[in-house]
Amino acid sequence: MSFPHLSPDEYSRFRTRIDAASPTDVRAIRYERYQLSKTSGGHSAESYDDRLPQMQRDHAKQLRGLAEENAAIDDAGMENNDDATDRAGNSRTPVVYTATMDGQSVTVRPDAVYDTVWADINCFSGEADVQHRTRQLKVEFKGALLDGKTLLVVLSSASPDVRPSKSFAADELTAENVVVLRRHPESGDWFAFGSREVQPHLLGREGA
């Protein structure tokens, strides 16, 4: 979470407000979220004008991440869990799961769903970024297991050195129920974790 001093409920309420806000209102809500997180942590908050350049950068990054996420979902033929209809145009209810983790109630909504998986898609721009096993991923894993599915973690990155953390990759409990793949956002190629060879058969994709 980018706002560590907000409770999961506070963060969820801001997320709901941002998703429903008009383009003219969303920036003010983002600033309110930032301001509350800072003051809740005992820190002073920048003024709106001083914070504005960072909010603009964050918004541009979010748009890039959303485009990469949607491309991965479409490429794999999964259902976008933000959509109220499936690919055939039928109504669907987004998958949501709530569990207690580290003493807190955490509600998650996977980015995409498939016949056999829940998917979480994360976008990286660094050369050697690391995906940690976050509280969100832990809860998504529990929810996927209860749904009889595997948790698919997609690392969207052009760098072959992006990887899950050692503890994430070595966790014996989840070794058979978590799949980590990397997708190159420009070429659309998929890679198994630790491999630099294109894997065209992953997720049912057929090779040339």
Side-chain angles (χ1 to χ4, degrees):
M1 184 185 295
S2 302
F3 303 92
H5 301 295
L6 297 182
S7 70
D9 287 343
E10 288 174 328
Y11 184 84
S12 178
R13 286 196 294 271
F14 273 113
R15 183 72 266 163
T16 298
R17 289 176 61 194
I18 289 171
D19 289 343
S22 68
T24 56
D25 294 334
V26 68
R27 194 168 289 162
I29 300 174
R30 290 180 186 276
Y31 178 73
E32 182 185 344
R33 179 177 63 179
Y34 154 78
Q35 190 177 43
L36 179 60
S37 179
K38 280 293 187 180
T39 56
S40 295
H43 305 289
S44 59
E46 294 179 304
S47 69
Y48 180 88
D49 288 341
D50 288 341
R51 181 66 181 174
L52 182 57
Q54 182 62 53
M55 289 194 293
Q56 291 171 326
R57 289 191 293 270
D58 289 345
H59 183 56
K61 181 179 178 181
Q62 182 187 36
L63 291 178
R64 289 194 300 271
L66 184 61
E68 290 184 26
E69 177 184 308
N70 288 335
I73 292 171
D74 290 342
D75 196 17
M78 296 184 288
E79 298 288 353
N80 191 319
N81 201 35
D82 285 334
D83 294 342
T85 57
D86 62 19
R87 290 178 176 274
N90 302 310
S91 297
R92 63 177 297 275
T93 301
V95 175
V96 178
Y97 176 68
T98 301
T100 299
M101 183 63 61
D102 301 329
Q104 293 187 338
S105 177
V106 180
T107 298
V108 296
R109 183 168 66 178
D111 295 320
V113 294
Y114 194 59
D115 291 344
T116 58
V117 302
W118 285 14
D120 188 279
I121 303 166
N122 295 298
C123 305
F124 298 92
S125 58
E127 288 298 314
D129 287 325
V130 176
Q131 172 66 63
H132 296 281
R133 190 163 180 256
T134 61
R135 182 182 298 163
Q136 175 181 334
L137 286 179
K138 291 178 183 178
V139 175
E140 287 185 354
F141 168 69
K142 289 179 64 175
L145 276 185
L146 288 174
D147 201 23
K149 298 183 179 181
T150 294
L151 177 61
L152 169 65
V153 180
V154 179
L155 311 181
S156 179
S157 173
S159 171
D161 296 320
V162 169
R163 58 180 176 80
S165 67
K166 290 182 179 179
S167 60
F168 187 0
D171 193 328
E172 294 181 358
L173 176 65
T174 65
E176 296 182 359
N177 301 97
V178 173
V179 175
V180 180
L181 303 177
R182 180 175 70 87
R183 181 181 184 276
H184 194 297
E186 282 84 34
S187 70
D189 289 331
W190 292 82
F191 301 83
F193 167 61
S195 172
R196 298 186 182 221
E197 297 182 0
V198 177
Q199 305 289 321
H201 63 284
L202 293 175
L203 298 176
R205 300 173 77 227
E206 297 180 357

